[in-house]
Structures are given as structure tokens and as C-alpha cells.
Amino acid sequence: MHTKNKIAAVVVSALVAGLAGCSTASSPDTASATQAPSANNDPQLAAQYNLDVNKVPAENFDLSKFKLNTPRDDNKPERSGKVMEIYKPMLNDKANPFSDADWFYTDSVTGAMVFASPNKAMTTPNSKNARSELRAMLSDDYSSPKNNFTIASTDNAEAYGAVGGHMSATLSVDWVSTSGDYKKNGAFATVIGQIHGSKNEPLKIMYRKLPEHEYGSVYWNYETNALGDDYSKRRDIRHEVFGQSGLRQGSEDPVTGIKLGEIFSYDVNVDGDIMHLTFTKNPGKPNQEVKTFDIDLAKGEYQGDKYDQGYANDWMYFKAGTYNQCNTGSSGCSNNGIEAGDYAKVSFFQFSLDQ
């Protein structure tokens, strides 16, 4: 159970600063003062998903096409004053593979790849929200078009690292913040997978659970690609999957949703111009439930929005982890630490990118 406990609002402490900027091969189940408790304690999950509890995430999962951001101040000289970035070679260093005992590690019982993020920490430019999140990197040159993908209708599609791509995950959301403003959709929510474009996001997969509810809701957003003078007209169009989005204080528990610690999956396949989405509740069980969506990313004017230009001729990249939507500003969340429940945590049991 979570009890009120004050910790520093700034995530980095002198005790862990040395760990943050370098790879470490220390035991992935190393405890820390702020490590979030586990939601799943079934050791059979490690065998079911072929995970080794003694290995760090990059040894259990193919992360060779990803970099990682964690909610710490970066201590590398070239990134002073920026959020911690674990470069692709650091994340996948076979001699000294990376883990972070607080925010990115292997669960000592299930073997899951765990991402956790507080309600306030150093974050990326243009964002108020902390994250522990992978970002696909198709090239070693960050600024190259080859580092990102596009869709088939893009005029110079061959200049990019890929046309389309396929990302799949089997996961559980283990915790979302219990503080926040009920009137804000970011409160009690986290992003667990996304496609980011050069400006806007054609896909954000969300999980949100109100503190008094047993069930949370999974839904996804399409952000209209309004550009130029119309950039301020961009908006998120929500699509419900399991449960119900937009719930407020006093709403009924969305019993068609998903509980904390309950395993489900998402599959994102951009093929040609079409984004195919598949969500599965109770995967592999007799009561398995599947929801699918198909969206033409090139068409534009999605659901009649005249400002949406579509995503043809744009570049994009996949992301996965926990991008905590609860912040101490617009979401009205507090930041009193793990024991107070002011964080988000997600466990991945299967994860792949085909691109």
C-alpha cells in the first residue's frame, strides 16, 4: 500500500547520479529507495514469455534499434541541462548492458522489462511530462531521414529508413498516479506506445484509471496533422478500446476495461499508407477479446477535420514505455514520491519492432 512519503521533487540524487549516465551490469533486481512495487508476482510468467530474471532488458529483448530516455538529469557533458538519454550503443552494450534500478530494469520475479516515471522530473523539450521511454532509431545519424520511417504515398519515400513498420507489445500497466485533477484527461494516465511525426502524433495509446476504480481504460488518440498557420488547430481524436475514456469523478467503474497488472497486447502495423491497430484483452485465453482499427494515414481530413493534412510527406518514429501524463502543472498532480503513489509503471513481457 502507498503511504504519504515526501521525497525530493528533483529525481536525481547525489547517490545515483553516477549510475545514470553509464551502462551497468549490476543485478537488475537491485532494490532502491524509490523502486516501484510489482503488480505481478507470478514467477511462471518468466517461463511463459521466455524471460531471464537475471538479465537486464536489452538481454531479454531486441532493443538494437532504440535509444532510451529516463527521468533523470543527464550527466554527460554534451547533454548538460537535458533529460537523460541512453544512446543506442550504450543501451545495447553487450559487455556492460544498461539498466536503471529506479526507472528501467528487469522485474526480479516475472522477468518483464519495467518502465517507471514520476509525476515530475527532467523531461524532453516541448513536454511537461516525465518519461521512461524507448525511441526507435533506424540510423546512427540522428538528423538523417534514414533514422525515421514514412508511408508509401510520401513523394521521396525511398530517402527514409523504412516505409511503414510493425511494433508489437504484450504488457501490463502496473500503476498510474493516484493524484491529479479529475477534469484533466492527463491525470491518472500514461502513454504506453506511440507513433510520433515531425510535429504531431498519428498514434498515442493511452491507459487511464481513476483512483477509486478497479478497472482502467485503454484508448488511442489520432492527432490531426494541422501545420503552418493552422498548427494551433490540431486536436486529438479519441478512440475507445477497452473501458471508457474521459471519465470524471463520480463516474461508474468501467468494468469492460483492464485492471492494473492485467496483461493485454497491442499491435501497430503501418503497411503502405494504412495503420492497422489490433488490441487484445486476455491474450491466448478462452475469453480473449480483440478490437481492430484501420486508418489511412495519407488521406487527411480525418473524421471531417478540415485542418488535418494527413501524414503523407511526413517522417515518423515508434516509441514505447511509459510517458506519464500526470504532471504537477496542467494535470494538477502532486509529486510526493513512489510511496505516495505519484508515478506510472508499465511492464513489457513481449516487445518487438520489425522495420
Side-chain angles (χ1 to χ4, degrees):
M1 298 295 293
H2 294 274
T3 58
K4 184 155 178 130
N5 177 48
K6 289 192 174 183
I7 63 170
V10 178
V11 176
V12 177
S13 70
L15 292 175
V16 297
L19 168 67
C22 62
S23 299
T24 174
S26 61
S27 175
D29 61 349
T30 300
S32 78
T34 56
Q35 188 174 95
S38 295
N40 272 306
N41 291 296
D42 183 359
Q44 294 183 358
L45 290 171
Q48 179 181 344
Y49 292 103
N50 194 28
L51 300 172
D52 188 334
V53 299
N54 296 307
K55 292 183 177 180
V56 299
E59 295 174 306
N60 277 325
F61 299 86
D62 182 3
L63 304 182
S64 59
K65 293 182 179 179
F66 290 95
K67 71 169 186 176
L68 173 74
N69 285 118
T70 62
R72 298 187 184 276
D73 292 10
D74 207 318
N75 61 1
K76 297 187 288 296
E78 71 273 18
R79 291 189 56 81
S80 177
K82 297 181 179 180
V83 68
M84 178 62 68
E85 183 168 307
I86 307 304
Y87 304 140
K88 188 165 61 171
M90 295 171 61
L91 182 62
N92 295 281
D93 184 347
K94 293 185 183 302
N96 196 26
F98 177 83
S99 67
D100 181 319
D102 294 333
W103 310 120
F104 179 74
Y105 55 91
T106 295
D107 187 279
S108 61
V109 175
T110 67
M113 174 169 57
V114 177
F115 300 83
S117 55
N119 288 355
K120 183 180 180 180
M122 177 68 76
T123 187
T124 54
N126 305 315
S127 176
K128 301 175 183 177
N129 302 310
R131 71 184 80 207
S132 177
E133 190 178 40
L134 296 166
R135 193 267 201 211
M137 302 281 290
L138 303 184
S139 167
D140 293 331
D141 181 357
Y142 192 97
S143 62
S144 170
K146 293 291 185 183
N147 196 41
N148 305 300
F149 79 93
T150 191
I151 57 176
S153 288
T154 294
D155 292 337
N156 59 336
E158 68 281 355
Y160 292 86
V163 175
H166 188 183
M167 183 172 75
S168 297
T170 301
L171 69 157
S172 66
V173 177
D174 302 329
W175 193 260
V176 289
S177 177
T178 51
S179 68
D181 183 346
Y182 279 82
K183 297 178 182 179
K184 304 294 185 179
N185 289 324
F188 325 119
T190 190
V191 176
I192 56 178
Q194 58 177 310
I195 295 175
H196 204 298
S198 61
K199 295 290 186 181
N200 302 314
E201 297 147 322
L203 177 66
K204 273 187 180 178
I205 303 172
M206 312 280 297
Y207 179 92
R208 184 171 187 261
K209 190 191 83 70
L210 302 189
E212 66 273 22
H213 285 172
E214 182 179 5
Y215 292 85
S217 300
V218 175
Y219 55 97
W220 66 275
N221 292 341
Y222 172 91
E223 186 175 24
T224 56
N225 201 23
L227 301 170
D229 292 341
D230 296 325
Y231 182 65
S232 63
K233 306 293 198 306
R234 71 196 188 283
R235 66 188 181 98
D236 285 334
I237 299 176
R238 288 202 300 262
H239 305 74
E240 294 180 359
V241 183
F242 304 117
Q244 184 179 348
S245 63
L247 296 179
R248 297 293 182 256
Q249 192 167 25
S251 298
E252 292 186 4
D253 201 344
V255 295
T256 58
I258 292 178
K259 299 178 183 180
L260 292 175
E262 187 174 351
I263 295 174
F264 64 101
S265 69
Y266 65 73
D267 185 271
V268 183
N269 186 12
V270 180
D271 185 10
D273 290 337
I274 309 301
M275 179 171 68
H276 304 282
L277 304 177
T278 303
F279 298 88
T280 306
K281 184 179 179 180
N282 303 315
K285 296 182 179 180
N287 58 341
Q288 175 175 291
E289 183 179 354
V290 178
K291 300 283 185 70
T292 61
F293 305 83
D294 299 294
I295 304 90
D296 188 339
L297 294 178
K299 187 175 181 180
E301 297 191 11
Y302 186 68
Q303 294 191 2
D305 189 303
K306 67 178 182 179
Y307 299 107
D308 178 31
Q309 298 185 25
Y311 286 85
N313 300 311
D314 201 358
W315 50 265
M316 292 166 273
Y317 50 91
F318 286 100
K319 306 190 81 176
T322 179
Y323 179 27
N324 189 357
Q325 298 300 284
C326 224
N327 62 59
T328 57
S330 59
S331 299
C333 306
S334 60
N335 189 49
N336 293 316
I338 294 295
E339 292 189 14
D342 288 339
Y343 69 99
K345 176 174 174 276
V346 181
S347 295
F348 283 70
F349 298 90
Q350 289 182 327
F351 179 70
S352 65
L353 175 66
D354 183 8
Q355 205 168 34

